[in-house]
């Protein structure tokens, strides 16, 4: 069974987007290097970031996202950036006629989302997009690791990495610390 990893790019002050859901400069590092993440792709990052990102993406089987992100990116047009499957947490069904060939599964509960994602991923990892759904999955005790790609910008307000999670959740010291160009990759195991 793979690892459930809560992940996103975030500002230094812990936001994944501003109040209007704009990511601003958070994703600039995806285009600031000379190593393509995927062959022929437009995203090119630094060598240090590439080694980390490529190995992480290669290990992913399923991505869990909330409906807000799904609607914003139109579910990446049915092509997940990594992994083979996507589980969308939503009280609304998949839009009628939306990419019927895509391996996207809509569930209305975070516990069911993690169970479905693990089933689909097999022995590969599950990536949970940060935000409200990610915070709910962390609060439910279903996250094994937290991965944050910290970008040197301060938003001041916006969409929080952990959503509106309440209470304290302890993490181990980071077991991954990689300095890329315009990004710091950090990964923490969740204390049990």
């Amino acid at each position: 069974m793979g690892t459930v990893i809560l992940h996103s790019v975030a500002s230094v002050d812990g936001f994944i987007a501003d109040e209007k859901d704009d990511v601003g400069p958070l994703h600039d590092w995806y285009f600031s290097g000379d190593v393509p993440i995927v062959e022929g792709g437009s995203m090119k990052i630094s060598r240090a970031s590439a080694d980390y990102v490529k190995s992480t993406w290669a290990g992913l089987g399923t991505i869990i996202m909330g409906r807000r992100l799904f609607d914003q990116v139109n579910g990446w047009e049915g092509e997940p950036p990594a992994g083979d499957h996507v589980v969308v947490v939503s009280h609304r069904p998949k839009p009628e006629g939306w990419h019927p060939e895509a391996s996207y599964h809509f569930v209305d509960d975070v516990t069911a989302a993690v169970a479905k994602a693990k089933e689909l991923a097999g022995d590969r990892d599950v990536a949970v997009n940060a935000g409200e759904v990610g915070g709910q999955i962390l609060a439910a005790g279903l996250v094994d690791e937290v991965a944050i790609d910290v970008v040197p910008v301060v938003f001041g307000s916006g969409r929080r990495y952990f959503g509106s999670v309440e209470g304290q959740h302890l993490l181990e010291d980071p077991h991954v610390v990689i300095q890329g160009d315009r990004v710091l990759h950090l990964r923490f195991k969740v204390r049990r």
Side-chain angles (χ1 to χ4, degrees), residues 50-119:
D51 292 342
Y52 170 70
V53 171
K54 285 181 176 188
S55 68
T56 299
W57 285 18
L60 293 180
T62 307
I63 295 172
I64 298 175
M65 67 189 317
R67 184 60 180 252
R68 171 187 230 111
L69 180 59
F70 173 85
D71 288 342
Q72 287 173 336
V73 300
N74 195 27
W76 302 298
E77 299 299 335
E79 294 287 331
D84 301 317
H85 312 279
V86 174
V87 175
V88 181
V89 180
S90 176
H91 295 293
R92 293 178 284 142
K94 183 190 304 189
E96 193 172 321
W98 182 88
H99 296 282
E101 76 289 351
S103 183
Y104 280 55
H105 309 267
F106 285 64
V107 298
D108 65 359
D109 171 86
V110 295
T111 303
V114 172
K116 182 67 174 178
K118 285 181 169 183
E119 172 192 324

Side-chain angles (χ1 to χ4, degrees), residues 33-36 45-54 178-181:
D34 55 359
V35 181
I45 56 182
S46 69
R47 169 56 55 202
S49 289
D51 292 342
Y52 170 70
V53 171
K54 285 181 176 188
I178 298 171
Q179 175 66 54
D181 292 343

Side-chain angles (χ1 to χ4, degrees), residues 126-141:
V126 172
V128 178
N129 285 111
E132 287 299 326
V133 166
Q136 291 171 23
I137 293 172
L138 176 72

Side-chain angles (χ1 to χ4, degrees), residues 104-173:
Y104 280 55
H105 309 267
F106 285 64
V107 298
D108 65 359
D109 171 86
V110 295
T111 303
V114 172
K116 182 67 174 178
K118 285 181 169 183
E119 172 192 324
L120 292 166
D123 62 353
R124 295 169 71 196
D125 294 335
V126 172
V128 178
N129 285 111
E132 287 299 326
V133 166
Q136 291 171 23
I137 293 172
L138 176 72
L142 301 172
V143 171
D144 300 312
E145 294 185 16
V146 172
I148 304 175
D149 299 323
V150 181
V151 173
V153 62
V154 174
F155 275 8
S157 65
R159 304 280 176 214
R160 295 172 45 196
Y161 180 95
F162 293 103
S164 55
V165 68
E166 293 184 14
Q168 187 178 76
H169 300 272
L170 297 176
L171 308 175
E172 299 293 339
D173 288 338

